[in-house]
Amino acid sequence: MTFFLIVGIACVVMANIFMGGLKSGEQQQTAFHTEKHEQQSVKLKPALYFGLTGLVSLGISALIYFL
């Protein structure tokens, strides 16, 4: 259970880092308007994979905890 919990939290944090979710509002707005569509899509794929992996790991951890 602890393994899935740690992996889930780490993957969610990595997804935030790839998407730029840990920036202030002004920094996010500046990055969004200055990046091209190709640059945004390159960051989207790993963020999506890390986010889904994190949610699945947290779900497995919750199932193990409650069962």
Side-chain angles (χ1 to χ4, degrees):
M1 180 187 100
T2 306
F3 172 76
F4 288 112
L5 184 65
I6 292 171
V7 168
I9 292 171
C11 285
V12 169
V13 169
M14 289 297 293
N16 275 322
I17 289 171
F18 274 107
M19 287 302 295
L22 303 176
K23 296 178 183 176
S24 69
E26 291 178 9
Q27 290 173 335
Q28 285 180 353
Q29 187 176 13
T30 302
F32 179 78
H33 291 295
T34 57
E35 289 179 344
K36 296 180 181 177
H37 180 66
E38 294 84 22
Q39 292 171 332
Q40 291 175 353
S41 64
V42 167
K43 293 190 317 185
L44 181 64
K45 283 185 182 180
L48 182 64
Y49 294 139
F50 274 117
L52 289 176
T53 304
L55 290 177
V56 169
S57 294
L58 290 174
I60 291 171
S61 176
L63 282 175
I64 291 172
Y65 179 75
F66 288 117
L67 295 177

